[in-house]
Amino acid sequence: SGRSVHPDELLHDADAGDFQHHWAPPRMDAADLATSFTSSPYGVTYLSEWNVVYLFAAKTSRIFGELGLDVMLSYRAFNLALFALMLVGLVVIRAPRGSYIPLLITPQLWYVFSYFNGDAMPFALGMLAATIALMPEGPLQRFLQRRGPFDAATLGHLLVFCTCLGLLLLSKKNYWPVAAFIALSMSVVALRLRALLASSLVVLLLAGVAANGAGTGLAAAAGSSLLTVVGIMAGLSLLYCFYAAWVLLRESHSRAAIGRICLTLALSAAVALPWIAADAYKHRDGPGKTALIEQQRERFAEPAFKPSVTRTLSAEVSGFKLQEKGVQIGQLLDAPKEWHVGTFRSFFGVYGYMEYFDTESAYRFVGWCVLGVLLLALAWGLGTRTLSPALAITSVGCGLALVLASFLHSWTYDFQPQGRYVMGLVVMMVPLFMRTGESQWGRVLFTAVALLLFVLSAASFTHIALPHLV
């Protein structure tokens, strides 16, 4: 397809171009970053974050370049290779049959892997890490629970998990809630945590996302009474978590599992540490990274998006910094904005620059079908006791945290109701489907479910995406 028909692909191309000749994260005032900053009207670059996606894309593109592909197609081939490697990885780790079902939920996921962007790699990493962490009889869970010897399979799963989770921390920020989900759900399975503790941890996660996303703005919008209720809930949740930790640490078996969980997470963090350290070293002198980013925005952003522009002057950009303009958070759900409608549609198939849609009846039909499938999987898991209430709460709660983060971003920065910002929800569906194929009836029922989801997604992809983009 054409070079400029996919969301932000030119910006992603420019960011990857910096790593055609470099291996370390750049300093924000580097002269060769000008192309990256000018590729976005905001005067920003994804390279200002801890993001290794573009390093891997640039180095891999050289291999595809030797096969005759131009730079743009080589970057797209990188994303296609990621999809293939994700599937191969699931086969190699012997993922349960149900683990593949979430990949059929929406054709928007297939679209993400069809052009170059910063979303495909963290999704693939998250999918592999979550599946490895949640396999109840898998080598990683046996290691965490001290069941069986530390053999080659255990070492392999541990290394792959730590690499995936560590690189996930160095990817797009909207996948950080996915990393929190992986760590939390892994602990829920290993420690057999109860629903109340899982609920308390989810409350703290939601409070942290809200505070980080729009703390002062939400406090002003909520009012003192609601803020007091939220504060009490967070405080009680924190106290209960301390109590539960004290109880767990008194038990030798739980204490050993906690130690191994901490070791695993520390190894994952060690994967991310060299990149973070190199980035800090690059900005050790001068005004600091944050100040440099603001300087570059002032220099390269279009007039309405410069940091020095006042709220009045930026009013012409209707969706930019709505909170500062006095827009109430609830108004994002009212017409004509309807954030939830735009996000829902683009989660289930909107292509190009958010311009090629399916019919309203098609979105409604797909939405009800997927909701029914999710409720069926939830009821099946709880009914057969292959899904614990604590793990179900973790999946739903972390999903809410991801949606909340995207919603607050649209309020505080730029109104962008895009389904790819919440595509991590698909990873969080893994626990619901993972063990659905353990019985004969389950295999029959959920094979039919998988076929239904595939037909729905393929219909959208072939009838809407391909005719408009190819």
Side-chain angles (χ1 to χ4, degrees):
S1 58
R3 185 176 178 82
S4 59
V5 296
H6 305 299
D8 299 333
E9 191 173 32
L10 293 176
L11 175 58
H12 295 296
D13 286 357
D15 288 346
D18 183 73
F19 287 104
Q20 290 289 347
H21 308 288
H22 299 96
W23 286 88
R27 183 178 165 89
M28 286 298 100
D29 57 356
D32 50 3
L33 277 189
T35 302
S36 294
F37 282 108
T38 55
S39 297
S40 167
Y42 303 99
V44 298
T45 171
Y46 290 115
L47 300 182
S48 63
E49 304 172 356
W50 298 330
N51 203 323
V52 297
V53 171
Y54 305 102
L55 170 65
F56 283 96
K59 302 310 178 185
T60 305
S61 72
R62 293 195 169 192
I63 300 174
F64 291 113
E66 294 296 325
L67 299 177
L69 297 182
D70 63 27
V71 174
M72 179 192 70
L73 290 181
S74 68
Y75 289 149
R76 292 179 182 174
F78 165 71
N79 269 13
L80 183 62
L82 284 174
F83 192 82
L85 287 173
M86 176 180 66
L87 294 179
V88 170
L90 291 174
V91 172
V92 170
I93 66 173
R94 298 182 180 180
R97 300 180 183 188
S99 305
Y100 298 86
I101 295 179
L103 300 177
L104 306 174
I105 287 287
T106 168
Q108 196 73 31
L109 174 64
W110 308 351
Y111 183 50
V112 164
F113 280 92
S114 72
Y115 70 95
F116 184 45
N117 53 67
D119 297 274
M121 182 172 166
F123 180 90
L125 293 170
M127 189 71 186
L128 280 173
T131 305
I132 291 172
L134 296 175
M135 292 166 60
E137 298 302 322
L140 182 61
Q141 281 296 334
R142 291 202 303 267
F143 165 71
L144 297 177
Q145 299 175 42
R146 294 198 303 176
R147 293 186 287 115
F150 188 86
D151 52 14
T154 303
L155 177 61
H157 279 232
L158 180 63
L159 291 177
V160 172
F161 174 82
C162 293
T163 301
C164 288
L165 185 58
L167 293 178
L168 185 61
L169 297 175
L170 297 176
S171 301
K172 206 169 180 181
K173 284 184 177 180
N174 54 290
Y175 275 86
W176 285 2
V178 177
F181 159 76
I182 293 170
L184 181 54
S185 58
M186 178 182 71
S187 303
V188 167
V189 175
L191 297 170
R192 295 182 174 86
L193 300 184
R194 296 184 177 182
L196 182 57
L197 179 55
S199 300
S200 299
L201 292 168
V202 164
V203 168
L204 293 177
L205 176 62
L206 288 168
V209 168
N212 181 70
T216 55
L218 282 176
S224 58
S225 57
L226 182 58
L227 194 62
T228 300
V229 172
V230 173
I232 291 174
M233 290 179 60
L236 291 175
S237 298
L238 184 61
L239 288 175
Y240 183 75
C241 288
F242 281 133
Y243 168 75
W246 177 70
V247 172
L248 288 170
L249 288 172
R250 291 181 62 190
E251 303 172 357
S252 60
H253 180 76
S254 297
R255 188 163 57 246
I258 291 173
R260 294 192 174 203
I261 290 171
C262 291
L263 173 63
T264 302
L265 296 179
L267 291 174
S268 302
V271 173
L273 187 59
W275 187 273
I276 297 172
D279 182 64
Y281 182 79
K282 283 285 186 74
H283 296 92
R284 68 191 184 282
D285 300 323
K289 184 176 180 179
T290 302
L292 288 177
I293 292 172
E294 290 300 293
Q295 290 175 14
Q296 297 293 65
R297 285 186 58 206
E298 186 65 35
R299 179 183 177 188
F300 292 109
E302 293 183 1
F305 298 106
K306 293 182 181 296
S308 60
V309 174
T310 64
R311 183 187 306 172
T312 303
L313 292 176
S314 64
E316 61 189 81
V317 186
S318 59
F320 191 58
K321 294 192 175 181
L322 297 176
Q323 178 195 359
E324 290 186 10
K325 295 176 182 176
V327 175
Q328 298 299 312
I329 190 169
Q331 293 179 258
L332 271 65
L333 303 176
D334 298 333
K337 295 189 179 302
E338 296 183 324
W339 179 90
H340 56 300
V341 175
T343 299
F344 173 82
R345 289 175 178 171
S346 57
F347 183 83
F348 285 109
V350 175
Y351 309 101
Y353 273 95
M354 304 287 288
E355 56 190 322
Y356 302 121
F357 293 80
D358 210 330
T359 63
E360 184 63 33
S361 58
Y363 287 122
R364 189 178 295 113
F365 179 72
V366 169
W368 283 113
C369 285
V370 171
L371 177 61
V373 166
L374 291 174
L375 292 177
L376 175 64
L378 179 63
W380 183 275
L382 295 176
T384 58
R385 296 188 178 181
T386 54
L387 175 69
S388 69
L391 192 53
I393 290 170
T394 301
S395 297
V396 174
C398 291
L400 290 175
L402 179 58
V403 173
L404 177 62
S406 178
F407 181 58
L408 293 178
H409 180 270
S410 282
W411 186 42
T412 59
Y413 185 61
D414 192 28
F415 185 74
Q416 295 180 338
Q418 296 193 33
R420 61 194 175 104
Y421 291 162
V422 295
M423 196 56 65
L425 290 173
V426 175
V427 177
M428 298 175 187
M429 296 176 188
V430 169
L432 302 182
F433 294 101
M434 175 173 280
R435 302 180 65 185
T436 53
E438 291 188 356
S439 67
Q440 181 179 357
W441 281 109
R443 287 194 294 273
V444 172
L445 177 60
F446 285 94
T447 296
V449 165
L451 290 172
L452 169 65
L453 293 174
F454 176 78
V455 169
L456 293 175
S457 291
S460 172
F461 202 72
T462 56
H463 287 79
I464 306 299
L466 295 179
H468 286 102
L469 298 175
V470 178

